[in-house]
Amino acid sequence: MNIAVISDTLASTIRIATPLMLMALGGLLCDRAGVFNIAMEGFALVGAFAAVACVQFSGGSVWVGLLGALVIGALYSAIFGLFVTKFKANNIIASIAMNTLGAGLTSYLLRAMFDVQGAYAPENINKLEMIEIPVIRDIPVLNCISGQSIVTYFTVVLMIVLYVMLFKTKTGLGICAVGESDVAARTAGIKPELVKWKVVLLSGALSGLAGAYLSIISVSQFSENMIQGRGFTAFTIYVFGASHPIFASLVSLLFGFAEAIGIRIELMGMAIPPSIISMFPYILAIVALAISSYMRKRKVQGVIKVKKKKEKLA
């Protein structure tokens, strides 16, 4: 494998990881606030459709599409927020409902608004130019960082901002406090319901942007169920990344690399069935969840042993 192929594979890794990272960052905020959110699949699907619709009705503006996806994704997630904060619904059941509703709603709107079935591409779309970084673009291997979408660079900045916010600010402390105990947070003057509303809306907006990235930047069209399990993969990512922005982002790159390698193997014409290749990211997801569960179990067992030792000494 030569340098050009390595650079191309790494560039593909970053492109594939971008929507996963966006959804995972939104999901880990919910996790930190004590909201079990696996509705990102539905949020992203609605955002993908909203982006294409906004591009179509704005005459081809991708910026309007991205903004529309952010807003509609947040509004759609507000339904989920209403159920989990106001009505105290089971988070898992509410998430499944949002994913199912998103699939049905986008399929219906595709027929109602555009009179098509299966997929729709805007008549005119002004593609965003990829951003070339002057010095890096000429360095072998490292040039994979250059030539990416503005959404990718925004995601990297967002990762840093969320890290600082979660671990260095009073706002982040409040989010983590709500996740630990609603009662204790309320005693400290924090409103748990308000915190949960904010993280759910932000998760919806980021998932909507991830959907827009897929529909108007990656493929320039919307197709039914086009998210294809990425929302559940994002859940695996932030669980495996311990709900830490930097660790979750690195895990996103790992999943992106697994998919990029699969695509590269398929392009090279190796005698491996395409169905096996497409399994790579999902196999990695299972392995990641298994490792994460094992590590958490060991951590809990360690805490129990420490408590028992303290009791014996007392």
Side-chain angles (χ1 to χ4, degrees), residues 37-303:
N37 180 8
I38 53 173
M40 295 170 292
E41 183 87 5
F43 298 165
L45 188 60
V46 170
F49 178 83
V52 168
C54 288
V55 168
Q56 174 63 31
F57 296 132
S58 66
S61 174
V62 174
W63 291 108
V64 174
L66 294 174
L67 179 61
L70 278 167
V71 174
I72 299 300
L75 290 175
Y76 185 68
S77 68
I79 303 173
F80 177 71
L82 180 66
F83 279 112
V84 299
T85 59
K86 183 70 174 178
F87 302 136
K88 308 298 181 184
N90 182 285
N91 290 187
I92 297 175
I93 295 174
S95 295
I96 294 172
M98 295 306 296
N99 291 333
T100 306
L101 176 62
L105 182 63
T106 52
S107 295
Y108 168 75
L109 291 176
L110 192 63
R111 294 167 177 78
M113 295 175 63
F114 303 114
D115 196 27
V116 295
Q117 185 174 350
Y120 177 77
E123 296 174 358
N124 179 34
I125 180 169
N126 301 319
K127 294 283 290 183
L128 290 178
E129 291 186 8
M130 300 297 104
I131 299 175
E132 298 288 346
I133 303 175
V135 177
I136 295 179
R137 67 182 179 184
D138 300 320
I139 302 175
V141 181
L142 281 180
N143 58 7
C144 66
I145 301 172
S146 180
Q148 300 288 342
S149 165
I150 190 172
V151 177
T152 298
Y153 300 119
F154 165 78
T155 305
V156 175
V157 173
L158 179 66
M159 172 197 69
I160 298 169
V161 170
L162 289 184
Y163 169 77
V164 174
M165 186 270 288
L166 276 176
F167 303 113
K168 306 293 182 182
T169 67
K170 185 178 179 180
T171 300
L173 181 62
I175 291 173
C176 296
V178 171
E180 291 294 331
S181 171
D182 283 9
V183 176
R186 190 174 281 107
T187 303
I190 300 169
K191 297 179 179 178
E193 291 78 12
L194 181 59
V195 171
K196 290 180 180 180
W197 263 108
K198 288 179 178 179
V199 296
V200 167
L201 291 176
L202 186 55
S203 174
L206 293 178
S207 297
L209 182 60
Y213 180 90
L214 291 169
S215 64
I216 62 176
I217 294 179
S218 293
V219 297
S220 300
Q221 71 170 17
F222 173 83
S223 57
E224 295 182 24
N225 299 314
M226 68 179 297
I227 305 303
Q228 296 181 337
R230 289 180 177 87
F232 300 109
T233 302
F235 166 75
T236 305
I237 287 168
Y238 76 72
V239 169
F240 189 50
S243 293
H244 190 290
I246 295 176
F247 296 157
S249 298
L250 293 175
V251 177
S252 298
L253 291 172
L254 178 62
F255 275 83
F257 183 70
E259 188 170 340
I261 285 294
I263 294 170
R264 176 59 57 183
I265 290 173
E266 192 171 359
L267 291 174
M268 291 172 68
M270 292 185 179
I272 302 176
S275 57
I276 299 296
I277 294 172
S278 63
M279 288 168 57
F280 284 180
Y282 303 103
I283 293 172
L284 181 59
I286 294 171
V287 172
L289 281 175
I291 294 173
S292 179
S293 299
Y294 175 75
M295 291 172 64
R296 288 191 177 195
K297 183 180 179 181
R298 288 293 300 271
K299 185 178 180 180
V300 171
Q301 289 175 343
V303 172

